[in-house]
Amino acid sequence: RGTKAMIDWPNVTASSYEELDLKPEELQRSKCVLGFIPVIYYSVLLCVGVPVNILTAVALCRLACRTKKPLYYYLLAVTGSDILSQLFIIFVGFLLETAVFHRDVPTVLLHVVSAAEFAANHASIWSTVPLTVDRYVALCHPLLHRQISYPARARKIIAAVLVLSLTSGVPFFWWSDVWRDSHPPSALDAVLIWTHVTIIYFLPCSIFLVLNSLIIRKLKIRQRQQPCQEERGPPRRLGKTTAMLLALTSVFSVLWAPRTVVVIYHLYVSSVHQDWRVHLAYDLSNMLAMLNTAVNFFLYCFVSRPFRSVVRDIMLLRGGPLHPRRPLPQQQAPTNASNSSLYSGNNKRSQRDSTPLSPRRNRKPS
């Protein structure tokens, strides 16, 4: 099989086909012009991305336990889903199945892994949606945010998103192997492809676009009203938090757009199996999309001073307060949701000046 894959098909005569006992679909199979580049790329991405995401998860876990802010729980869910995507899609799918075993494994196992890959992919993308909704409510409806946003509810929302993502991956058990299936996409393939691009791109990007536009509009209105306000600090923090959210959603939209276009092109114009140019575009678009699972750590470090501080403590093996000294009971969570996020082991002034990832705080009544 390795010898056949290296043959230059356009220069092989018809008699050679018969001598080599090649099937017609093998004669039309497109080449992987990138060679070993994807293997090297995914290996580096895995070796860098998994440790970085584990470090991110530990840091966010400390911040969530320390501040009790729903924001950190949502970011923790995004990080955990990225780790699952790296393990299932990059390690199992690309490296083990494709590079090591050359997909020479039982067909049922291929389909099971495919369903797990799509489930992890959906969880990674849709974990960002509750974060966007929470930021929209916090900035545009702060009074409502005090009542409905608290850690217990955030955990329930995250659990619901993970369950729905796992369920949404089941239909993709029947996803076709676009690299090796020689037949044109069937009606089932069309349904699965459109379901896939809707779930992973069109629907979440529409939500991001609408909510982010409303957030930006609200912030512009507040900037015009700023001269009438006594405090100028909070609007700046809101702008920095919004910048983080916009960066998260924008990076996702940019990195996943090529793959969405290539998959639709494969469905209607030319097959990945038959056209080496589509094959190349599909490989490159997958590499870009998977990059999205490893960039959030650097974004958090760039935006958030508390996150950098916690990461520094972890790297230097310095222990920090993992739990607040006075934990709030779950029964009081809806009432004290906004106030509970004010607590920190550090003094209030340093925390107020250095928390760009957090929503606008409400003053705790004395």
Side-chain angles (χ1 to χ4, degrees):
R1 298 181 68 88
T3 304
K4 295 177 184 178
M6 298 177 62
I7 293 176
D8 190 3
W9 298 120
N11 296 328
V12 178
T13 61
S15 60
S16 300
Y17 297 155
E18 297 177 357
E19 294 174 0
L20 293 172
D21 192 24
L22 299 177
K23 299 178 181 179
E25 57 269 18
E26 290 180 313
L27 305 180
Q28 300 177 355
R29 177 177 298 179
S30 60
K31 300 177 184 178
C32 179
V33 297
L34 292 179
F36 287 98
I37 293 178
V39 178
I40 299 174
Y41 172 83
Y42 287 124
S43 299
V44 173
L45 187 62
L46 189 69
C47 293
V48 174
V50 171
V52 160
N53 278 330
I54 292 176
L55 178 60
T56 303
V58 175
L60 290 174
C61 186
R62 286 194 177 191
L63 289 171
C65 294
R66 182 184 303 174
T67 64
K68 294 297 180 181
K69 295 177 183 176
L71 174 66
Y72 292 124
Y73 288 91
Y74 291 127
L75 293 176
L76 187 58
V78 173
T79 304
S81 301
D82 286 341
I83 294 175
L84 290 179
S85 296
Q86 290 173 336
L87 293 179
F88 281 109
I89 301 177
I90 298 178
F91 179 68
V92 177
F94 286 117
L95 295 180
L96 283 185
E97 283 188 352
T98 304
V100 177
F101 297 107
H102 303 285
R103 304 186 76 84
D104 189 16
V105 296
T107 305
V108 175
L109 181 59
L110 287 176
H111 290 295
V112 171
V113 172
S114 177
E117 291 174 353
F118 280 98
N121 188 10
H122 297 169
S124 177
I125 294 170
W126 278 89
S127 295
T128 313
V129 174
L131 170 65
T132 307
V133 174
D134 181 80
R135 293 299 85 214
Y136 163 75
V137 177
L139 297 177
C140 299
H141 305 283
L143 297 179
L144 178 62
H145 186 262
R146 297 183 193 179
Q147 302 175 3
I148 67 173
S149 181
Y150 50 93
R153 174 164 289 178
R155 289 192 292 267
K156 292 179 181 178
I157 293 174
I158 292 169
V161 169
L162 294 179
V163 170
L164 291 175
S165 299
L166 180 62
T167 305
S168 67
V170 174
F172 295 93
F173 177 88
W174 292 274
W175 181 267
S176 297
D177 188 345
V178 296
W179 284 287
R180 287 167 173 77
D181 286 349
S182 58
H183 60 79
S186 62
L188 177 61
D189 293 333
V191 171
L192 290 177
I193 287 176
W194 276 109
T195 303
H196 173 59
V197 297
T198 301
I199 291 177
I200 62 102
Y201 195 78
F202 292 126
L203 188 55
C205 282
S206 299
I207 296 174
F208 297 152
L209 178 62
V210 172
L211 295 183
N212 288 340
S213 300
L214 293 175
I215 289 173
I216 293 175
R217 178 176 175 272
K218 184 68 174 181
L219 290 178
K220 288 183 177 180
I221 294 176
R222 287 188 179 182
Q223 287 179 356
R224 289 196 295 265
Q225 297 173 348
Q226 189 173 354
C228 301
Q229 298 177 351
E230 296 181 358
E231 298 182 359
R232 296 177 180 268
R236 184 173 57 185
R237 290 201 302 270
L238 290 174
K240 211 164 187 180
T241 304
T242 304
M244 180 273 297
L245 177 62
L246 293 177
L248 276 176
T249 54
S250 299
V251 168
F252 160 75
S253 301
V254 171
L255 293 181
W256 275 91
R259 186 181 186 278
T260 303
V261 173
V262 172
V263 169
I264 297 176
Y265 188 90
H266 157 79
L267 178 61
Y268 291 107
V269 181
S270 182
S271 171
V272 172
H273 180 272
Q274 297 180 357
D275 192 335
W276 68 268
R277 291 164 296 187
V278 183
H279 193 152
L280 174 62
Y282 194 69
D283 287 340
L284 293 175
S285 63
N286 280 330
M287 294 165 67
L288 278 178
M290 289 299 99
L291 183 62
N292 186 62
T293 63
V295 298
N296 290 343
F297 170 81
F298 305 100
L299 177 61
Y300 300 157
C301 286
F302 179 76
V303 172
S304 173
R305 188 180 303 172
F307 182 82
R308 293 195 301 269
S309 177
V310 173
V311 169
R312 189 183 307 114
D313 290 341
I314 296 172
M315 297 295 293
L316 297 178
L317 301 179
R318 294 189 304 204
L322 295 181
H323 301 280
R325 297 173 185 173
R326 294 182 301 169
L328 294 175
Q330 293 293 334
Q331 293 81 0
Q332 298 179 359
T335 304
N336 299 328
S338 300
N339 295 333
S340 63
S341 63
L342 288 171
Y343 180 80
S344 173
N346 301 325
N347 61 74
K348 293 182 179 180
R349 183 178 181 275
S350 62
Q351 186 184 19
R352 182 170 60 251
D353 294 338
S354 62
T355 313
L357 274 179
S358 62
R360 182 177 180 179
R361 294 187 179 87
N362 300 293
R363 298 179 181 273
K364 181 183 288 188
S366 56

